[in-house]
Amino acid sequence: MANIANTNELKANKTGVSAKLIVRIVSITVVLALWEGIARSGLLYKDVVPTISAILYGIWEVLADPTFFRQAGVTLGEITLSVILGAATGITVGIILGSRPFFAKIFEPLLHYLAPTPKIIFFPLLIMWFGIGEGSKIAMGTISSFFPIVLSVASGMRHINPVYVRVGRSFRATAWQQATKIYIPAMRDPVVNGLRLAFGVSTIGVLLAETKFAQSGLGFMVTRYYQQFNMPSMYGIVLIIFAFAIFVNWLFGKLIVEETQ
Amino acid sequence: MKVNKKPAVSVGGASSEQPVLVVDKISKVYQTNSGSLIAVDGMSFSVNPQEVVSVIGPSGCGKSTLFNLIGGLTPPSSGKISVSGMPVNGPHPSISMVFQEESIFPWRNVVNNVAFPLEINGVPKAEREEHARRFIQMVGLEGFENHTPSQLSGGMRQRVAIARGLASEPKLLLMDEPFAALDEQTRLLLGDKVIQMQQELKQTILLITHNITEAIQLSDRIVVMSYRPGRLKRIIDIDLPRPRTSEIVSSEEFGRYVAMIWDDLREEASKGMAAADSARATT
Ligand SMILES: Nc1ncnc2c1ncn2[C@@H]1O[C@H](COP(=O)(O)OP(=O)(O)OP(=O)(O)O)[C@@H](O)[C@H]1O
Ligand SMILES: [Mg+2]
C-alpha cells in the first residue's frame, strides 16, 4: 500500500517537474515572440523596443567593449567589499544583539524599521562623506548589506538550541571557543541566508548608486548607453547583470543545500 | 536487602576511599513569577569510586536541577558540592555531563563530536582523533566515525554523547536520563553497553533517571527523590550480582527491587500528577 502510494507520488512529482519545465519554456517563448512581434510591428518606437537579434548583437557589443571587463571588475569589487564590510559589522552587531536582550530591545525595532527603507535616500549624504568615486558606492552597498545580515544573525543566535551552549560550558570552553566552535557553526544557515540577501541588496545599492553620480562601473555604463540612446547595448548589459545575479544566487543556494544534506 | 533511611555522607577517611562526589545539604530555589519554587531541598549523598549511583524520582521533582547543580552549570542556593575533595564552583574538569536533550553537534561528524572536549583542551588533531576512536569503539560505533548525526538513529546519537562524555576521562560521568527518548528494547541493550563500559573503565557514574528498570539494572545504589520539594526520600542498596546483563530484569530478586522502589515512587508520582492536574485546572 505504502509502496504504491509512494510510486504514485513519485510519478506525480516527475510529471510535475516536466510540466513545470514545459510551462517555463512555453512562457519564455511566448514573451520572446511577443517582444519580437511588437519590435517588428513598428507600433512602438523601434529604438525603445529593439528586436531580439539587435539585443543579441548589443550583448556581443558590450562584451567586445574593451572597457567592459574593467568596469565589471570595478562593480564586482565594490559589491564584494560591501558584502565583506556589511558582514563584518552585521555579524558583530548581530552577535551582540542576539546575546544581550537589553540591547536587542532598544535597537532591534529600529533596525526592523530601517531595513525595508530604500537606502538610496542616504546617497546624497554618502557622496558628501566619501566623494563621487568608489567610496560612496561601497558605503551604499555596505549599508544595504548590513541590515539583512544583522537581523538574521541576531535571530539565528536566539534560535540556537541552548543545550549546545551548555555542552560548551560544561567542557569549559572559553568565550572565543564558544563563538567559533558553537555559535558560528550552529548559525551557518541563517548567516549564509543573510549573506545571500545581503548580496542581492548590495548589488542593487551599488548599481543604483553608479547610475547617479559615477565615473565607472556597470551602472555607469547603463546610464551612458542610455544617454547615447544605444538601446540594444543597454538591454544587453542589463541582461548580463541579470545573468550574473542569477549565477551568484545559485551559488549561495548550493551552499545552503549542502549544509542541509 | 539493605535499606539506609539516612544518607551516609562519609567525608574524609582514607584518601583511596575518598568519595568521588559529595553532595552536602544542597538546595536550589527558583524565583518565578508565581513566587519562589524549591526545586531541590537539602539533599545530601555521596558517590564512591567505581560506584554507579542512580537518582530516581517522578517527572518534575528536580532531577535535572540536581544534575545542573552537580555539573556546576547552576549555582546552588545553599549547600556544597565537591569532587575528589575539590569544591565545585562552576563546570569542573573532573565531571562530564551527558544531557537529557539531544546534545551532539549536528554540524560535526561522530569523531569530531567525541573529540570535542579534547579539542577544547587543545589536544592536537591526530592525537585527539585517535583517542576519540577508542571511545567510539567502546560504545560500539566503530565504522560510523565519519557519519553525521543525521545519519544515525536516536540510540546511536546518545551513544555518541556518552562517548563524548567519556573522552575527557572524567572522574565522574554525570548522565541525565540519557535513554529517556528511546524505546524499551534499545534502552535495555544500551544499559548492557553502559555496564560493559563501566567495567572496562572502572568509571564512577551518577545516573539520573525516572525508569525503575534502568536504575536497578545499572546501579549499586539508588537515591529516591520525593516530589516538591525535591528531597532525598531514601537510599536503596542493590545487592545483585555483577557483572549484570539485561537478562537480570526477569529474575525474582529484580522484581522485588522493582516492587520496593515503585512503592516509594507511586506515592511521589501521584503527588506530581495531582499537582499537574490542579495546575491545569487553574489555568
Ligand atoms: N530555570 C528554572 N526556573 C524556574 N523554575 C525551574 C527552572 N528549571 C526548573 N524549574 C522547575 O523546577 C522543577 C524541577 O525541574 P527539573 O527540570 O529539575 O525536574 P526533572 O525532575 O528533571 O523533570 P523531568 O523528569 O521532567 O526531566 C520543575 O517544577 C520546573 O518547572
Ligand atoms: Mg529532567
Side-chain angles (χ1 to χ4, degrees):
Chain A
M1 274 300 282
N3 252 332
I4 295 168
N6 253 337
T7 42
N8 277 343
E9 224 167 79
L10 267 179
K11 266 186 208 150
N13 227 336
K14 251 186 197 161
T15 54
V17 168
S18 54
K20 247 194 254 168
L21 198 70
I22 290 169
V23 172
R24 227 175 246 169
I25 291 170
V26 167
S27 24
I28 290 173
T29 317
V30 167
V31 169
L32 289 179
L34 270 175
W35 181 284
E36 191 71 13
I38 292 169
R40 285 178 186 274
S41 69
L43 282 174
L44 287 176
Y45 196 45
K46 153 170 150 301
D47 286 325
V48 178
V49 185
T51 59
I52 288 163
S53 52
I55 292 174
L56 286 176
Y57 183 75
I59 292 177
W60 186 80
E61 215 177 37
V62 172
L63 293 175
D65 184 336
T67 68
F68 169 76
F69 287 99
R70 196 172 53 78
Q71 308 280 27
V74 168
T75 303
L76 209 62
E78 288 166 353
I79 295 173
T80 311
L81 216 64
S82 307
V83 174
I84 290 173
L85 290 173
T89 51
I91 291 176
T92 311
V93 177
I95 287 179
I96 294 171
L97 292 181
S99 56
R100 297 275 181 277
F102 176 75
F103 291 121
K105 265 193 208 120
I106 300 174
F107 294 113
E108 243 179 276
L110 283 176
L111 293 178
H112 275 288
Y113 282 124
L114 277 173
T117 312
K119 307 302 172 306
I120 197 75
I121 59 171
F122 299 118
F123 193 52
L125 267 178
L126 298 179
I127 287 184
M128 290 203 307
W129 287 343
F130 300 103
I132 63 164
E134 288 165 26
S136 58
K137 316 297 178 293
I138 294 167
M140 187 66 218
T142 303
I143 292 180
S144 306
S145 54
F146 170 76
F147 286 92
I149 293 177
V150 72
L151 290 177
S152 55
V153 168
S155 101
M157 188 103 177
R158 275 191 294 266
H159 288 107
I160 287 181
N161 188 343
V163 78
Y164 300 146
V165 179
R166 288 164 68 217
V167 169
R169 282 220 294 143
S170 80
F171 288 118
R172 309 194 314 148
T174 61
W176 175 252
Q177 287 172 327
Q178 286 269 21
T180 55
K181 294 186 196 295
I182 294 171
Y183 281 100
I184 291 177
M187 288 196 305
R188 202 191 118 140
D189 259 8
V191 168
V192 171
N193 233 328
L195 285 175
R196 180 189 202 167
L197 292 171
F199 168 78
V201 290
S202 83
T203 304
I204 295 171
V206 164
L207 285 172
L208 211 56
E210 282 177 350
T211 60
K212 304 293 173 207
F213 295 93
Q215 296 140 326
S216 57
L218 294 179
F220 167 72
M221 282 181 86
V222 172
T223 17
R224 201 183 52 189
Y225 285 132
Y226 174 73
Q227 278 156 1
Q228 294 166 349
F229 219 71
N230 184 351
M231 287 301 147
S233 292
M234 198 195 82
Y235 279 115
I237 198 166
V238 167
L239 287 174
I240 289 168
I241 294 169
F242 192 51
F244 169 71
I246 290 176
F247 169 73
V248 175
N249 217 12
W250 170 82
L251 224 59
F252 276 110
K254 271 201 84 85
L255 262 176
I256 290 178
V257 168
E258 257 166 35
E259 159 76 352
T260 50
Q261 265 171 1
Chain B
M1 267 187 227
K2 227 172 34 191
V3 175
N4 302 347
K5 275 281 178 193
K6 274 245 162 148
V9 184
S10 53
V11 188
S15 63
S16 64
E17 269 311 303
Q18 183 189 42
V20 172
L21 174 74
V22 176
V23 176
D24 186 15
K25 298 193 203 74
I26 203 86
S27 295
K28 179 70 193 181
V29 183
Y30 287 119
Q31 301 304 330
T32 63
N33 295 335
S34 51
S36 54
L37 184 138
I38 306 169
V40 173
D41 188 19
M43 280 187 79
S44 299
F45 62 92
S46 58
V47 180
N48 296 316
Q50 306 186 15
E51 214 183 6
V52 180
V53 174
S54 288
V55 174
I56 194 166
S59 190
C61 76
K63 298 185 299 295
S64 293
T65 304
L66 181 67
F67 169 81
N68 286 315
L69 288 167
I70 297 171
L73 292 182
T74 309
S77 305
S78 66
K80 284 200 294 278
I81 292 169
S82 57
V83 183
S84 309
M86 290 171 288
V88 170
N89 314 303
H92 198 279
S94 302
I95 300 179
S96 269
M97 302 173 82
V98 177
F99 292 86
Q100 183 171 5
E101 305 92 332
E102 275 219 13
S103 67
I104 63 170
F105 303 127
W107 59 85
R108 283 174 175 244
N109 64 12
V110 171
V111 186
N112 290 332
N113 259 297
V114 175
F116 179 77
L118 302 158
E119 193 177 324
I120 292 298
N121 290 332
V123 177
K125 192 172 165 62
E127 199 179 314
R128 67 175 184 245
E129 284 185 0
E130 195 188 309
H131 190 89
R133 276 171 218 283
R134 195 178 134 221
F135 291 98
I136 292 168
Q137 205 171 355
M138 198 169 291
V139 296
L141 285 179
E142 59 271 61
F144 293 95
E145 285 85 352
N146 296 319
H147 283 56
T148 60
S150 61
Q151 295 170 313
L152 305 178
S153 71
M156 291 162 105
R157 288 201 283 266
Q158 272 325 64
R159 277 190 268 169
V160 175
I162 292 171
R164 179 178 65 188
L166 292 172
S168 68
E169 300 187 321
K171 291 214 173 77
L172 176 72
L173 181 68
L174 187 55
M175 299 197 276
D176 187 7
E177 308 200 29
F179 314 128
L182 308 176
D183 61 87
E184 191 62 22
Q185 292 91 308
T186 314
R187 183 204 292 267
L188 283 171
L189 293 176
L190 272 189
D192 286 346
K193 271 268 174 298
V194 168
I195 290 172
Q196 271 171 30
M197 168 276 282
Q198 197 271 335
Q199 299 279 322
E200 200 174 328
L201 294 173
K202 308 266 174 262
Q203 180 69 53
T204 311
I205 298 177
L206 183 66
L207 171 75
I208 286 168
T209 179
H210 61 228
N211 186 293
I212 300 175
T213 321
E214 183 178 289
I216 303 171
Q217 180 196 3
L218 301 177
S219 317
D220 298 306
R221 285 190 297 147
I222 297 179
V223 174
V224 183
M225 274 181 85
S226 66
Y227 182 83
R228 290 236 181 127
R231 288 201 183 119
L232 190 150
K233 196 173 165 91
R234 67 164 148 173
I235 296 178
I236 298 171
D237 287 324
I238 305 296
D239 291 322
L240 291 174
R242 285 199 183 266
R244 300 177 196 158
T245 63
S246 47
E247 282 166 26
I248 203 163
V249 170
S250 50
S251 76
E252 201 180 313
E253 276 285 284
F254 198 95
R256 271 211 294 281
Y257 280 115
V258 172
M260 185 165 137
I261 294 170
W262 176 231
D263 216 42
D264 269 350
L265 276 182
R266 187 170 45 204
E267 205 180 315
E268 302 305 327
S270 48
K271 271 196 251 169
M273 264 177 72
D277 285 349
S278 71
R280 216 169 292 131
T282 52
T283 50

